[in-house]
Amino acid sequence: MDTLLNRHRLTMNGLFDLSHLESHVCSHLQRVYACLAMGLLAAAAGAYIGMYLVPLYGLVAALASLGLLLYIQSGRDTFGPERHAAFAAFCALSGSGMAPLIGLAIDMDPSILVNAIIITMVVTVCFCGAALLAKTSRWMMYLAGPLASGLTVLLLLSLANIFVRSPFMFDLTLKLTLLVFCGFMVYDTQKIVEMARMGDKDYISHCLDLFMDVVEVFRVVLILLMKQQDDGGKEKRKKSKN
């Protein structure tokens, strides 16, 4: 029995072993994920403000987000309070931009929002964790080409569906978007590790990549759950009529 327990401990220790990552890389990752947590909290606050206090979406908010994004990227390797504030404001505006969608989900069923948050957390932990735990992970850097091609396909599908208005194409676009941005989570995580090894310690810019991945995954998951709820309601109405 003791032997089995020892083997189990060894297996678990090996599963979560990050010893292949240098100490300065681990320290950088801690700052990145702390910054990501702050950004997600700011996005949640922005969504709340957009739904219940002041609408912060539309063209003005989009232009403000673009300006903040350019400011954040132009100040690489500077970590003053202004850049942190700009990052938090960008995240809040990103959250407020999703306020109409989140409000619609809550109106349909509040559990949809909770389930979307849980699924997004699980997806983020699994894909980012897989990238960090992989001992031979340089191959992940070669995902850039296929992922860029995937974005091009998504753009073409979205443009085509403006005219075709096909439910099948809409579903396909959503599922491909989820697949592509899960791939971006893996790629961006490994890119952060490699950049840190080369001396790039700009955790705000690195966090920004992951933040966009997480937000897009959350958006797609939320839409898929809402569609599933709507399809289930239609089936129930059909059965009640029959």
Side-chain angles (χ1 to χ4, degrees):
M1 187 67 179
D2 291 339
T3 305
L4 288 174
L5 288 173
N6 288 333
R7 285 180 181 175
H8 178 69
R9 290 193 193 98
L10 288 172
T11 303
M12 295 302 292
N13 289 336
L15 183 62
F16 299 105
D17 182 20
L18 294 175
S19 59
H20 59 286
L21 297 177
E22 297 83 352
S23 59
H24 69 277
V25 173
C26 291
S27 299
H28 178 67
L29 287 169
Q30 289 174 0
R31 287 190 287 270
V32 169
Y33 287 111
C35 191
L36 178 61
M38 181 190 78
L40 293 174
L41 287 174
Y48 180 86
I49 292 169
M51 282 190 296
Y52 299 112
L53 298 177
V54 182
L56 295 174
Y57 43 86
L59 181 60
V60 175
L63 292 174
S65 296
L66 180 60
L68 288 167
L69 183 61
L70 292 174
Y71 175 78
I72 293 167
Q73 295 291 21
S74 66
R76 293 186 67 88
D77 299 321
T78 58
F79 308 106
E82 298 86 0
R83 195 158 178 248
H84 283 90
F87 173 74
F90 173 81
C91 294
L93 286 173
S94 299
S96 69
M98 296 186 66
L101 180 64
I102 293 173
L104 184 59
I106 292 173
D107 290 340
M108 289 181 68
D109 186 350
S111 66
I112 293 176
L113 178 60
V114 177
N115 291 335
I117 292 171
I118 293 171
I119 292 171
T120 303
M121 288 174 60
V122 171
V123 168
T124 302
V125 169
C126 289
F127 282 89
C128 292
L132 291 174
L133 293 169
K135 299 293 191 296
T136 55
S137 52
R138 288 288 181 90
W139 62 269
M140 295 177 189
M141 300 302 293
Y142 296 101
L143 289 173
L147 291 172
S149 300
L151 286 178
T152 303
V153 171
L154 289 173
L155 177 62
L156 293 175
L157 284 174
S158 299
L159 289 174
N161 206 35
I162 293 174
F163 305 100
V164 177
R165 296 187 178 277
S166 166
F168 170 76
M169 194 177 290
F170 178 70
D171 284 348
L172 179 63
T173 303
L174 283 176
K175 289 168 184 175
L176 282 177
T177 301
L178 184 60
L179 179 64
V180 167
F181 277 89
C182 286
F184 268 115
M185 283 185 178
V186 174
Y187 169 75
D188 286 333
T189 300
Q190 187 56 34
K191 185 179 76 171
I192 290 168
V193 171
E194 296 301 326
M195 295 286 278
R197 282 172 173 161
M198 291 188 291
D200 185 349
K201 299 301 176 66
D202 188 0
Y203 60 87
I204 296 178
S205 291
H206 295 169
C207 174
L208 194 59
D209 293 335
L210 283 179
F211 174 80
M212 292 183 185
D213 297 340
V214 173
V215 168
E216 188 61 21
V217 167
F218 171 74
R219 185 187 71 83
V220 174
V221 169
L222 189 63
I223 294 172
L224 287 171
L225 291 176
M226 290 169 64
K227 191 174 182 306
Q228 183 182 40
Q229 179 86 357
D230 186 55
D231 291 344
K234 288 178 180 177
E235 286 293 326
K236 287 180 181 179
R237 287 193 292 272
K238 284 182 181 178
K239 290 180 180 178
S240 64
K241 287 180 180 178
N242 296 331

